[in-house]
Amino acid sequence: MTHTASPSLTPVDRDTTSEPPTADRPVTPSRAAWAELVRLPALFTVPGDTLAGVAAAGARPGPRALLPIGSSLCLYAAGMVLNDWADRAEDAVERPHRPLPSGRIRPTAALTAACGLTGAGLLLAARAGRPALAVAAPLAATVWAYDLALKHTPAGPAAMAAARGLDLLMGAAAAGSARAAAPSAALLGCHTLAVTAVSRRETTGGSTAAPLAALATTGAVTRLVAHRRARLPAGRRAAAAPGLPGPTPGGGARTTPAGALTAALAAAYAATAARPYVHAALNPSPPLTQRAVGGGIRATVPLQAALAARSGATATSLLIAALAPAGRLFARRRAMRKVSIT
């Protein structure tokens, strides 16, 4: 749930809808303005949190998983809207084309939407069960605390990492075992911490330390995901036992399809995140720093898929991986071209 500021996916074209409203031209929010406000293409990075959590808990995603997924989407969108509401004065100077400073959406409407989305997210979590609500409540509190108080403090990146980790744990709690998903939540949180740290300098640039630290974090997360097999839940462990990675009687290594898929997805995660981090470290200009943030966010999906594969849920991992191209295709649609990815 990264609620940071970054440039649009494509250059912003001038549009009369971005001009401030006047007495003769009242505010008439369009669907495109709301899509931009909630970062609609970035919503494709959200369901993977729940699905990776479900996989870590040893369950398969069924119709009931739609409740925590819906809760995650609502809370993520609420955080995005609240982010722009809290930063509307800063955005008026640095990003005047955004929906609030441009006048396409009124601040009161944005705040009302953030409250409504938060309430909807908690309601869906409650429908998923008390364990899911027990995780969703601190998740919602973390989102609001980040946007209203912690974003510009040293605690900001840690709060954002906690939000992503809690989002994954909510899926696991809804499936029956949040504790089993703790290692996956920690790895996703480390990745989010690195991306958020880079994002703090995306409008000013000038920092090589943050991209280098994010690059090191990406390498460490990739190694842990690809080379340390997660302890499978009891039911899945028995079924997978004959094909678990490990030494063979002849002393060689045994590779399973799930292990190969995990390695491939971990490599995709590293490739997506690492290259823009390197560029930002070599030239910490605002545009390259912004691209590094975008690359880090896009890398979230293959990381989620790798975590699911690591838990032995091959089908779930492939479902998560399919969200990445779907998100890119959706972002390229004409109506979505001005939508920021963060």
Side-chain angles (χ1 to χ4, degrees), residues 189-227:
C190 288
H191 165 71
T192 305
L193 180 70
V195 178
T196 308
V198 175
S199 75
R200 292 163 74 87
R201 300 295 295 271
E202 65 180 355
T203 59
T204 61
S207 172
T208 59
L212 286 175
L215 185 63
T217 300
T218 300
V221 169
T222 301
R223 180 172 179 80
L224 289 171
V225 171
H227 298 290

Side-chain angles (χ1 to χ4, degrees), residues 83-257:
N83 173 77
D84 279 21
W85 181 85
D87 287 352
R88 60 193 185 279
E90 176 185 328
D91 286 346
V93 177
E94 297 181 353
R95 294 169 286 268
H97 62 276
R98 285 193 165 182
L100 295 185
S102 68
R104 287 176 287 154
I105 296 176
R106 291 189 183 278
T108 52
L111 183 58
T112 300
C115 293
L117 286 166
T118 301
L122 293 174
L123 179 60
L124 288 170
R127 293 290 300 274
R130 289 185 179 179
L133 180 60
V135 179
L139 170 57
T142 302
V143 169
W144 278 72
Y146 174 83
D147 284 330
L148 299 182
L150 301 178
K151 180 178 179 180
H152 300 293
T153 71
M160 186 57 57
R164 271 290 186 182
L166 286 169
D167 200 33
L168 188 149
L169 290 175
M170 180 168 62
S177 178
R179 180 177 298 180
S184 293
L187 290 169
L188 182 61
C190 288
H191 165 71
T192 305
L193 180 70
V195 178
T196 308
V198 175
S199 75
R200 292 163 74 87
R201 300 295 295 271
E202 65 180 355
T203 59
T204 61
S207 172
T208 59
L212 286 175
L215 185 63
T217 300
T218 300
V221 169
T222 301
R223 180 172 179 80
L224 289 171
V225 171
H227 298 290
R228 290 196 179 183
R229 177 175 56 82
R231 180 176 176 80
L232 299 181
R236 188 174 291 153
R237 195 184 313 142
L244 289 178
T248 62
R254 183 169 53 201
T255 303
T256 66

Side-chain angles (χ1 to χ4, degrees), residues 1-7 36-47 49 72-84 87 98 139 142-144 146-147 151 156-168 187-202 214 269 277 289-301 303-304 339-342:
M1 290 192 170
T2 305
H3 314 137
T4 56
S6 81
E36 185 176 351
L37 188 62
V38 301
R39 318 301 200 274
L40 195 56
L43 292 179
F44 284 90
T45 70
V46 179
D49 290 345
S72 295
L73 289 169
C74 287
L75 294 177
Y76 187 97
M80 291 296 189
V81 174
L82 188 64
N83 173 77
D84 279 21
D87 287 352
R98 285 193 165 182
L139 170 57
T142 302
V143 169
W144 278 72
Y146 174 83
D147 284 330
K151 180 178 179 180
M160 186 57 57
R164 271 290 186 182
L166 286 169
D167 200 33
L168 188 149
L187 290 169
L188 182 61
C190 288
H191 165 71
T192 305
L193 180 70
V195 178
T196 308
V198 175
S199 75
R200 292 163 74 87
R201 300 295 295 271
E202 65 180 355
Y269 157 69
Y277 287 156
T289 302
Q290 292 158 4
R291 290 179 186 176
V293 175
I297 294 172
R298 286 189 293 273
T300 302
V301 174
L303 175 58
Q304 294 162 338
V339 178
S340 170
I341 60 174
T342 59

